[in-house]
């Protein structure tokens, strides 16, 4: 503890841990609408992810994602269906929450994930928190 406190007081950057608590497959269902999001565990400083959503048997959206650790910094990058991808740097990380931001991106500018009990929650918004959309996922298969 004293080493961490000493590093903080000395102005040294804190080491941000990968959000291993996100690993697994998650789903949200509402009538015929569904969303699924899956994350691998951390290996070699990367967590690979994917998300898809639809209605009934029709796929309406998908994206490929990754969280990487490089040089003590954590980044979230997404390649959404038919759009230019973007990367966001972690600005906050705890044992159950991580926030990524990219002020230069049009929308979203902030991506937030957190654990709420056994569920995974996600939110996208502008950097100031406005125009927010949230999802709450249960572990898949439950």
């Amino acid at each position: 503890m004293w080493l961490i406190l000493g590093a903080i007081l000395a102005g040294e950057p804190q080491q941000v841990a990968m959000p291993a608590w996100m690993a697994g497959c998650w789903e949200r269902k509402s009538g015929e609408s569904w969303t699924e999001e899956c994350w691998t565990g951390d290996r070699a400083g990367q967590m690979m992810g994917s998300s898809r959503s639809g209605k009934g048997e029709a796929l309406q959206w998908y994206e490929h994602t990754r969280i990487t650790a490089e040089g003590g910094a954590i980044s979230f990058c997404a390649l959404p269906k038919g759009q230019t991808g973007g990367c966001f740097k972690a600005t906050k990380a705890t044992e159950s929450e991580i926030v990524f931001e990219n002020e230069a991106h049009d929308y979203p500018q902030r991506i937030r994930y957190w654990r709420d009990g056994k569920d995974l929650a996600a939110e996208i918004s502008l950097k100031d928190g406005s125009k927010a959309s949230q999802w709450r996922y249960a572990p898949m298969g439950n």
Side-chain angles (χ1 to χ4, degrees):
M1 169 157 163
W2 292 110
L3 289 176
I4 294 171
L5 180 58
I8 292 169
L9 294 175
E12 295 177 21
Q14 292 181 341
Q15 183 73 13
V16 177
M18 292 289 275
W21 45 266
M22 288 174 56
C25 287
W26 309 89
E27 65 183 343
R28 177 177 185 253
K29 296 178 185 176
S30 177
E32 284 190 46
S33 297
W34 51 269
T35 302
E36 300 170 344
E37 185 159 330
C38 293
W39 287 97
T40 66
D42 174 25
R43 178 167 281 180
Q46 287 202 6
M47 292 176 68
M48 305 301 292
S50 63
S51 179
R52 63 183 178 177
S53 60
K55 189 170 185 177
E57 293 299 314
L59 179 66
Q60 296 173 324
W61 176 260
Y62 67 89
E63 70 180 344
H64 302 284
T65 52
R66 71 182 185 278
I67 297 174
T68 58
E70 294 176 9
I74 305 292
S75 294
F76 172 94
C77 297
L79 185 57
K81 171 187 175 185
Q83 296 182 12
T84 303
C87 292
F88 302 75
K89 293 214 179 274
T91 58
K92 177 182 179 183
T94 69
E95 292 179 4
S96 61
E97 177 186 27
I98 191 159
V99 178
F100 302 95
E101 294 180 349
N102 179 346
E103 194 171 334
H105 197 262
D106 58 352
Y107 186 86
Q109 294 175 329
R110 183 168 66 184
I111 300 167
R112 177 180 170 231
Y113 284 95
W114 69 98
R115 287 297 296 268
D116 187 4
K118 64 181 180 71
D119 295 341
L120 178 69
E123 178 183 78
I124 60 173
S125 68
L126 292 178
K127 187 174 180 189
D128 66 5
S130 63
K131 298 188 180 181
S133 294
Q134 287 190 0
W135 295 265
R136 183 184 182 101
Y137 301 104
M140 246 175 144
N142 289 339

